[in-house]
Amino acid sequence: MSTFNILKREDVSTNNQAIFDNLNKALGFVPNLYATYANSDTALENYLTFTNAKTSLSAKEKEVVNLAVSQVNDCIYCLSAHTAIGKMNGFTDEQILELRAGFSSVNEKFDALAKLAKNITENRGKTDQDILENYFNAGYTKGNLIDTISLVGDKTISNYIHSTTQVPVDFPVAQPLELETI
């Protein structure tokens, strides 16, 4: 298998160097997965534009989707990153494990959203109508649905890039999901 080395600033295009500089200013480092995107002269910028685009979903709702999708796709990198981000957004360890499993016992809207994101990912977009109806009954709109599906696609891209490249995880590694513990 080909090895993907973690690219440094001097290894990437001028455009990606500027993005690395901005990431360093904002985050204090360039996450390994973002550095992997920089193997392409355009993919990192395109991905960051897509992932940071306006959405009808709140930051917490985005993490609900990110965690459920990354669990279905078994991406330890994204599970680790979004566990850290989920905690920054106020989720507890137990809530994060539930969301990864595709439900929430403490929030009806998050429960409907996690179930939908999990179902869409597992069924590759062939969404179960009962789950979709539950999503709408929880107060989500058709616009929210389109934003949710877009976010499933966004996260799936990163999941696939990590699954293919296997770059090292540079976040605290997420614990395995053990359904009997939640």
Side-chain angles (χ1 to χ4, degrees):
M1 178 174 147
S2 296
T3 304
F4 280 80
N5 296 322
I6 305 304
L7 299 177
K8 304 290 183 213
R9 186 182 189 283
E10 60 272 9
D11 301 325
V12 300
S13 69
T14 305
N15 184 53
N16 282 332
Q17 286 178 357
I19 295 170
F20 275 33
D21 292 344
N22 289 335
L23 288 168
N24 269 312
K25 286 178 194 166
L27 305 174
F29 74 112
V30 176
N32 288 344
L33 192 62
Y34 286 177
T36 303
Y37 274 94
N39 278 283
S40 163
D41 289 340
T42 57
L44 180 58
E45 180 178 19
N46 292 341
Y47 178 73
L48 290 173
T49 298
F50 185 48
T51 201
N52 293 317
K54 289 181 183 178
T55 179
S56 62
L57 301 176
S58 70
K60 284 185 94 161
E61 288 170 321
K62 287 177 70 171
E63 290 315 308
V64 169
V65 174
N66 290 334
L67 288 161
V69 171
S70 295
Q71 184 65 52
V72 171
N73 288 330
D74 195 27
C75 179
I76 191 62
Y77 189 99
C78 293
L79 286 169
S80 299
H82 290 289
T83 293
I85 297 167
K87 287 178 184 179
M88 291 176 3
N89 278 284
F91 288 120
T92 66
D93 288 330
E94 184 176 320
Q95 290 168 337
I96 288 169
L97 290 172
E98 285 184 357
L99 295 170
R100 286 174 52 190
F103 74 97
S104 171
S105 65
V106 298
N107 185 300
E108 178 186 350
K109 283 192 82 169
F110 292 162
D111 184 62
L113 180 59
K115 285 177 177 161
L116 179 72
K118 179 181 181 187
N119 185 262
I120 288 170
T121 307
E122 287 176 335
N123 297 313
R124 295 184 284 172
K126 295 177 181 76
T127 309
D128 179 279
Q129 289 304 303
D130 290 337
I131 290 175
L132 185 59
E133 199 60 38
N134 182 54
Y135 175 82
F136 289 133
N137 287 339
Y140 287 104
T141 66
K142 290 178 182 177
N144 297 139
L145 175 64
I146 301 305
D147 286 344
T148 300
I149 294 168
S150 294
L151 185 54
V152 169
D154 164 348
K155 193 44 45 202
T156 298
I157 292 167
S158 286
N159 294 165
Y160 287 8
I161 287 176
H162 183 261
S163 293
T164 299
T165 64
Q166 292 295 302
V167 296
V169 177
D170 50 355
F171 292 88
V173 177
Q175 64 180 313
L177 181 62
E178 298 173 17
L179 293 176
E180 63 273 7
T181 65
I182 49 178

